[in-house]
Amino acid sequence: MPANEKLKEKISHLPHKPGIYKFFDDGGIIYVGKAVDIRKRVSSYFNRSAQHNKKTLKLVSQIKDIEFTIVDTEADAFLLENNLIKQYQPKYNILLKDGKTYPYICIINERFPRVITTRNKKNDGSRYFGPYPSGTAMYVVLDLIRTLYPLRTCTYNLSPENIAAGKFKVCLEYHIGNCKGPCEALVDETEYNANIAQIKNILSGNLSVAKTYFKEHMAAAAADYQYELAHKYKQKLDLLEDFQAKSTVVSNTLTNIDVFTITSNEQCAFVNYLKVMNGSIILTQSLELEKKLDEEDADILASVVVQLRQEFESTSREVITNIELKLPLDNVLVTYPQIGDKKKLLSLSLKNALYLRKEREGRQEKNKELSEQRELRVLETLKKDLRLTELPRQIECFDNSNFQGDNPVASMVCFKNGKPSKKDYRHFNIKTVVGPNDFESMYEIVTRRYRRLLDENQPLPQLIIIDGGKGQLSMAVKALRDLGIYGQIAVVGIAKRLEEIFYPGDSLPLYIDKKSESLKLIQRLRNEAHRFAITFHRSKRDAGTLKTELTDIKGIGPSTADALLQKYRSVKKLRELSLNEISTEIGKAKAAILYAHLHPADEGKEV
């Protein structure tokens, strides 16, 4: 059964239930999608009347197999799709950066805990905070903590027995005031753990507990006339308030909220995420995502929301966005604020997304301008090196190809403004020349090319490059003379051996500096024309071999071979067909002959 028939059969048995579906090519999963109705959604991809874009049509053309998983609800499908995309990273799904590379601040589960940074989360009872979108953001918080609280950094096992036995001695960190010396029992464990509790509050975004602690101890020290100690508490309180000011306090009335905004162009979507805890923005992340199938903003944002909430371990019950968004997550409310503090948050997030978009589009525009300037410079250099009278904005290059005189073909490639214009590439079957005659073949294809441009009133190129020596160049010139356009187009030949450039009527070649950009452009045109010709020649040769193999079978004529060749392209594909399938193409009698030839081991068996 052909692949498309197998897919139709499989689609007809898909369930009308919620779940996910996976598309496969020969190499593996290429797309994962979710659906309220699996059969209805998958069938829509193969509906010829549907107006699919080019990217979706390309996806469909590559599908070789389909698998599905039924789930209970749309929300389950939503989450399962997200997990499978992260696991398999299919090429037609939008992919986000894997959060496992983000750093965490970890309070280690040990006596007199250390506060360290890590990228590897373990189930060892330690407490992890983050992940942080960048190391810079993380170290700002870590420096604050280490300034406020003297903590140990050593890796000693500070068990009561080891400390009592005097196994350890205080280090330099103790003498410069960065550690209280728990290794020699110079700090009470209860006092140390009280500092750790405050650190946990700060890392959770709750600065009020630590601020209250420092205020109370500052007041108590001042009342007891310990002004030096009171000043130290005042300095730590100032550090906390300065950090909170930099954390962008948006409102004292807001609690925990996730803010997501999106803006997009035809190629990319730009998303900003703000994580708000206790009225302060504790995390911000901006993303640029390349569209794979011209996805809608709502579909893109829904996937991003789920993944970023998982990556940054958000438990916020409210998500605010700038577009209508269906988010089938339990106990999560999606809102679209119009006024107030939430609206200000939304505007701030959107400003970040728009800034990222403007910056990326500006960079692309600048790169485009630089590319155009470079291409113009190369063309100017080519004009100077070849002594042309006008800038060669359109260049066409011709090449012949044959194999021991069989299947002679030719190609023409076209570069516009220094870049390939593949829609203008042309293949030529040699029609008027018998045998391997490259000179006459060149005359034919140059004549055919420019007669057609003249007949259709199409613009002529400014430069023609002939892949070959003086002989091919002379025949191209003869063709242009016969068409009456010689002198209107510059024409040169390039010989492969020494990269010599030949002019019509000039016996001495031109040698361009091997490092010259203009020579590299000529070589690129020549190599592209050669590649294009060889590819075409191989396809014709393979097709001719297949046709010969079929016509060598007694009872299979040229017309039957042509029909089979046009549809199936290879003997391998023909062997995959059943006798009945071949019969529908060429009739029962010829099908029996062909099937017996393709399956000699089955001769005598019932099929």
Side-chain angles (χ1 to χ4, degrees):
M1 182 182 294
N4 58 344
E5 295 298 329
K6 290 180 181 177
L7 286 178
K8 288 179 182 179
E9 179 71 15
K10 183 162 282 191
I11 292 169
S12 68
H13 290 92
L14 292 175
H16 289 290
K17 292 184 178 296
I20 63 95
Y21 53 92
K22 293 178 281 188
F23 292 154
F24 294 78
D25 64 4
D26 293 328
I29 296 177
I30 57 174
Y31 186 75
V32 176
K34 63 182 179 299
V36 177
D37 184 319
I38 296 175
R39 189 195 296 184
K40 187 175 180 181
R41 181 70 185 101
V42 173
S43 298
S44 69
Y45 286 95
F46 299 88
N47 186 350
R48 292 184 178 180
S49 62
Q51 297 297 314
H52 293 310
N53 57 60
K54 290 182 180 179
K55 293 180 181 179
T56 303
L57 292 173
K58 186 176 180 182
L59 163 66
V60 173
S61 70
Q62 296 179 9
I63 298 171
K64 296 294 188 294
D65 197 9
I66 301 169
E67 291 183 3
F68 66 91
T69 302
I70 297 172
V71 295
D72 292 329
T73 65
E74 183 183 358
D76 292 334
F78 192 79
L79 295 173
L80 179 57
E81 176 201 36
N82 183 262
N83 291 333
L84 291 175
I85 290 172
K86 286 196 292 183
Q87 179 181 351
Y88 294 108
Q89 299 191 359
K91 67 179 180 180
Y92 284 103
N93 285 103
I94 286 180
L95 305 175
L96 302 188
K97 183 179 179 181
D98 193 342
K100 68 184 179 184
T101 62
Y102 293 136
Y104 292 84
I105 291 178
C106 172
I107 299 177
I108 298 177
N109 182 27
E110 61 187 356
R111 193 161 183 257
F112 297 104
R114 287 170 291 147
V115 179
I116 66 168
T117 64
T118 182
R119 291 179 184 270
N120 300 312
K121 259 182 111 173
K122 301 176 182 176
N123 294 320
D124 56 359
S126 299
R127 184 78 183 274
Y128 294 85
F129 297 88
Y132 291 87
S134 71
T136 302
M138 178 188 66
Y139 282 112
V140 167
V141 181
L142 194 61
D143 288 344
L144 171 70
I145 290 168
R146 288 176 175 169
T147 304
L148 295 175
Y149 305 100
L151 301 171
R152 77 176 179 113
T153 57
C154 63
T155 58
Y156 297 146
N157 179 8
L158 300 185
S159 65
E161 295 79 16
N162 288 342
I163 293 175
K167 286 189 175 183
F168 313 114
K169 295 294 182 183
V170 293
C171 63
L172 179 63
E173 290 292 303
Y174 170 79
H175 293 294
I176 63 177
N178 290 340
C179 177
K180 289 291 187 72
C183 58
E184 289 192 34
L186 299 178
V187 62
D188 181 67
E189 187 175 0
T190 303
E191 179 188 344
Y192 192 98
N193 287 338
N195 287 343
I196 292 295
Q198 290 186 37
I199 291 170
K200 289 178 180 177
N201 278 312
I202 291 173
L203 292 174
S204 299
N206 184 9
L207 305 185
S208 59
V209 174
K211 286 171 67 176
T212 300
Y213 173 86
F214 290 133
K215 282 180 182 178
E216 290 175 351
H217 281 69
M218 180 180 67
D224 199 28
Y225 304 107
Q226 299 183 50
Y227 297 118
E228 214 171 292
L229 181 61
H231 181 65
K232 288 182 180 179
Y233 284 124
K234 173 71 165 58
Q235 286 179 317
K236 293 187 176 185
L237 182 61
D238 289 343
L239 278 172
L240 265 180
E241 290 180 339
D242 183 57
F243 174 77
Q244 188 173 33
K246 292 177 180 177
S247 298
T248 313
V249 179
V250 288
S251 173
N252 292 324
T253 61
L254 298 179
T255 52
N256 300 343
I257 298 173
D258 285 333
V259 186
F260 289 91
T261 53
I262 186 171
T263 178
S264 67
N265 55 31
E266 291 182 1
Q267 293 80 32
C268 296
F270 305 88
V271 176
N272 178 260
Y273 169 43
L274 302 179
K275 185 177 182 181
V276 180
M277 295 188 70
N278 300 306
S280 297
I281 298 171
I282 66 165
L283 182 151
T284 177
Q285 179 79 321
S286 294
L287 300 170
E288 177 184 358
L289 302 113
E290 181 186 355
K291 293 182 179 181
K292 299 297 182 69
L293 298 172
D294 294 337
E295 298 86 349
E296 296 291 331
D297 283 358
D299 294 330
I300 296 172
L301 191 57
S303 298
V304 172
V305 168
V306 173
Q307 187 156 340
L308 287 185
R309 279 173 60 89
Q310 289 178 349
E311 302 288 7
F312 294 108
E313 301 175 3
S314 173
T315 57
S316 300
R317 297 293 182 88
E318 184 177 4
V319 171
I320 65 176
T321 77
N322 65 321
I323 62 171
E324 293 287 330
L325 187 65
K326 186 177 182 182
L327 203 63
L329 298 177
D330 294 335
N331 302 317
V332 174
L333 175 67
V334 181
T335 59
Y336 320 95
Q338 303 300 314
I339 57 173
D341 290 334
K342 292 182 180 179
K343 176 61 176 177
K344 291 178 183 177
L345 262 180
L346 193 65
S347 298
L348 178 62
S349 176
L350 185 58
K351 186 183 294 184
N352 279 275
L354 289 169
Y355 178 83
L356 178 63
R357 175 178 175 175
K358 182 179 179 181
E359 189 266 334
R360 291 290 191 273
E361 290 178 343
R363 186 187 302 173
Q364 290 170 358
E365 188 63 31
K366 184 176 180 180
N367 289 340
K368 183 180 177 182
E369 289 177 5
L370 290 174
S371 177
E372 290 174 351
Q373 290 173 7
R374 179 189 173 278
E375 289 154 5
L376 181 61
R377 185 186 72 243
V378 173
L379 294 179
E380 292 283 3
T381 304
L382 183 62
K383 176 186 175 185
K384 180 180 177 182
D385 287 345
L386 295 184
R387 302 189 294 275
L388 305 177
T389 58
E390 56 182 323
L391 197 66
R393 292 193 175 274
Q394 181 171 327
I395 308 171
E396 297 185 350
C397 182
F398 293 84
D399 185 32
N400 291 321
S401 177
N402 65 76
F403 180 71
Q404 296 178 351
D406 293 331
N407 299 312
V409 297
S411 71
M412 185 279 295
V413 298
C414 177
F415 277 33
K416 292 183 177 178
N417 295 318
K419 295 186 294 186
S421 177
K422 294 195 174 183
K423 66 183 180 64
D424 295 306
Y425 284 19
R426 295 293 183 269
H427 282 135
F428 298 91
N429 289 304
I430 303 303
K431 299 178 179 179
T432 62
V433 181
V434 178
N437 189 328
D438 287 345
F439 299 155
E440 292 296 332
S441 296
M442 186 62 69
Y443 176 85
E444 177 186 328
I445 60 174
V446 172
T447 300
R448 286 166 56 188
R449 168 63 177 168
Y450 296 113
R451 178 180 290 139
R452 180 157 189 170
L453 291 187
L454 292 171
D455 289 345
E456 295 177 356
N457 291 317
Q458 296 293 319
L460 297 172
Q462 288 78 43
L463 174 63
I464 298 171
I465 297 173
I466 303 300
D467 182 13
K470 297 178 182 178
Q472 285 96 329
L473 177 61
S474 296
M475 297 306 290
V477 169
K478 183 176 185 299
L480 296 176
R481 287 186 189 280
D482 291 346
L483 290 170
I485 56 174
Y486 181 66
Q488 298 179 35
I489 313 171
V491 56
V492 297
I494 177 170
K496 294 183 178 64
R497 192 170 65 87
L498 296 174
E499 305 292 32
E500 301 164 313
I501 306 297
F502 287 98
Y503 288 91
D506 192 340
S507 60
L508 296 177
L510 170 70
Y511 294 96
I512 300 177
D513 186 341
K514 294 292 189 290
K515 296 181 180 179
S516 169
E517 290 179 319
S518 58
L519 179 61
K520 289 178 181 178
L521 177 59
I522 293 171
Q523 290 171 330
R524 188 180 171 201
L525 274 146
R526 188 266 314 282
N527 295 340
E528 181 71 351
H530 185 64
R531 178 200 65 79
F532 196 50
I534 289 293
T535 303
F536 182 45
H537 184 264
R538 283 174 180 165
S539 66
K540 280 185 65 67
R541 188 180 65 199
D542 293 344
T545 302
L546 173 60
K547 183 174 178 180
T548 301
E549 182 175 346
L550 293 177
T551 53
D552 283 346
I553 303 171
K554 190 174 181 180
I556 304 296
S559 59
T560 303
D562 282 336
L564 292 171
L565 171 61
Q566 186 175 0
K567 187 164 186 179
Y568 296 105
R569 298 290 178 184
S570 71
V571 172
K572 181 182 176 183
K573 290 183 179 179
L574 286 174
R575 284 199 181 97
E576 294 173 355
L577 301 178
S578 67
L579 179 59
N580 288 335
E581 288 169 333
I582 299 174
S583 298
T584 60
E585 298 291 339
I586 59 175
K588 291 184 178 181
K590 291 180 181 179
I593 296 171
L594 178 59
Y595 192 88
H597 175 83
L598 297 174
H599 303 273
D602 295 339
E603 195 169 351
K605 294 181 182 179
E606 291 187 12
V607 291

